[in-house]
Amino acid sequence: DVKVTQSSRYLVKRTGEKVFLECVQDMDHENMFWYRQDPGLGLRLIYFSYDVKMKEKGDIPEGYSVSREKKERFSLILESASTNQTSMYLCASSFPRTVGTGNTIYFGEGSWLTVV
Amino acid sequence: QKEVEQNSGPLSVPEGAIASLNCTYSDRGSQSFFWYRQYSGKSPELIMSIYSNGDKEDGRFTAQLNKASQYVSLLIRDSQPSDSATYLCAVKLWDSNSGYALNFGKGTSLLVTP
């Protein structure tokens, strides 16, 4: 079974703090993604990565950055947390990086972040 | 912006009935279609995928795809209270902003009443 692990499930941070959300997948997937999910807004893509040290902006990258130093690990960084970044953050992975069928995206369990 | 539209619900069906969930999408270039189920406070889990026109059945679930009309649906037969969840429709396509990531609808809330 595919396993996508988000190490921090529940976090409370103060405005202005730097926040790291870590994600590890164990299936040698090339693609990794960070989404956030908010009531009424659905899932929105923040950043994604197709390879080590590679990153691409999604739909809402402002206020976030990412790091992918190893294939299995994709980190989301909030440089200076703000209250409007209170949300559930979902990491996901998939394989391979080509168009076509079968490359389903698998999600981690989610990280609930509250910024006060 | 590529759109994936779902009725937010809630859709309420009695136990044992058929639940029908619908999704429309805006981009004709869309290639793959997925249904995820999400229980409250949990992450989405894949229940069905479909890539070509027609029906695909898996147990009590049937996904239907009509690319000409740009809609995809999910039927749940013999609905159970444990099926009560939010169902997310997702569409995979390529664009310069999101690459091959999935574009999600906002989900339909399903309530199966005993």
Side-chain angles (χ1 to χ4, degrees):
Chain A
D1 283 351
V2 175
K3 190 161 181 65
V4 181
T5 303
Q6 295 181 234
S7 53
S8 300
R9 295 295 315 280
Y10 302 95
L11 306 93
V12 179
K13 298 292 182 180
R14 295 194 180 276
T15 301
E17 277 193 79
K18 191 169 186 177
V19 181
F20 293 86
L21 299 179
E22 304 288 343
C23 175
V24 177
Q25 50 92 5
D26 66 356
M27 288 299 293
D28 202 34
H29 283 174
E30 297 179 349
N31 311 322
M32 296 190 75
F33 310 87
W34 276 105
Y35 289 87
R36 65 176 282 180
Q37 187 175 33
D38 302 285
L41 296 177
L43 278 155
R44 294 179 291 168
L45 182 65
I46 305 172
Y47 267 96
F48 60 99
S49 169
Y50 293 140
D51 203 350
V52 175
K53 297 191 184 296
M54 178 273 182
K55 60 185 178 183
E56 293 287 344
K57 294 180 179 179
D59 299 322
I60 52 165
E62 296 79 17
Y64 304 94
S65 62
V66 290
S67 172
R68 194 166 181 198
E69 296 297 319
K70 294 184 178 181
K71 189 175 185 179
E72 68 271 18
R73 187 179 298 270
F74 193 36
S75 303
L76 180 70
I77 304 157
L78 287 66
E79 296 290 343
S80 177
S82 63
T83 55
N84 63 11
Q85 293 179 309
T86 293
S87 186
M88 181 165 93
Y89 290 87
L90 287 161
C91 176
S93 71
S94 73
F95 176 86
R97 188 208 161 182
T98 53
V99 114
T101 63
N103 24 353
T104 304
I105 288 181
Y106 298 91
F107 285 91
E109 293 185 325
S111 297
W112 293 88
L113 172 66
T114 301
V115 182
V116 298
Chain B
Q1 180 71 24
K2 309 298 191 296
E3 299 291 335
V4 179
E5 300 287 345
Q6 295 181 256
N7 188 318
S8 62
L11 173 66
S12 183
V13 299
E15 184 174 358
I18 296 175
S20 177
L21 305 163
N22 299 311
C23 172
T24 59
Y25 58 95
S26 62
D27 192 329
R28 287 193 175 274
S30 301
Q31 299 144 348
S32 307
F33 308 86
F34 304 86
W35 283 100
Y36 284 80
R37 178 176 63 200
Q38 187 174 25
Y39 293 113
S40 180
K42 302 293 186 180
S43 62
E45 57 178 326
L46 180 71
I47 53 173
M48 289 286 289
S49 58
I50 187 166
Y51 312 113
S52 55
N53 279 330
D55 295 1
K56 179 182 177 183
E57 187 174 317
D58 183 0
R60 297 187 295 113
F61 298 97
T62 298
Q64 300 174 318
L65 175 60
N66 184 323
K67 288 187 176 181
S69 300
Q70 295 177 238
Y71 82 78
V72 57
S73 62
L74 180 70
L75 301 178
I76 306 174
R77 290 181 299 281
D78 187 24
S79 295
Q80 302 297 311
S82 59
D83 294 326
S84 298
T86 297
Y87 290 80
L88 303 173
C89 173
V91 174
K92 188 165 78 69
L93 60 125
W94 165 263
D95 71 28
S96 58
N97 288 327
S98 61
Y100 297 124
L102 290 184
N103 192 18
F104 285 85
K106 294 179 182 179
T108 298
S109 175
L110 173 66
L111 178 64
V112 180
T113 55

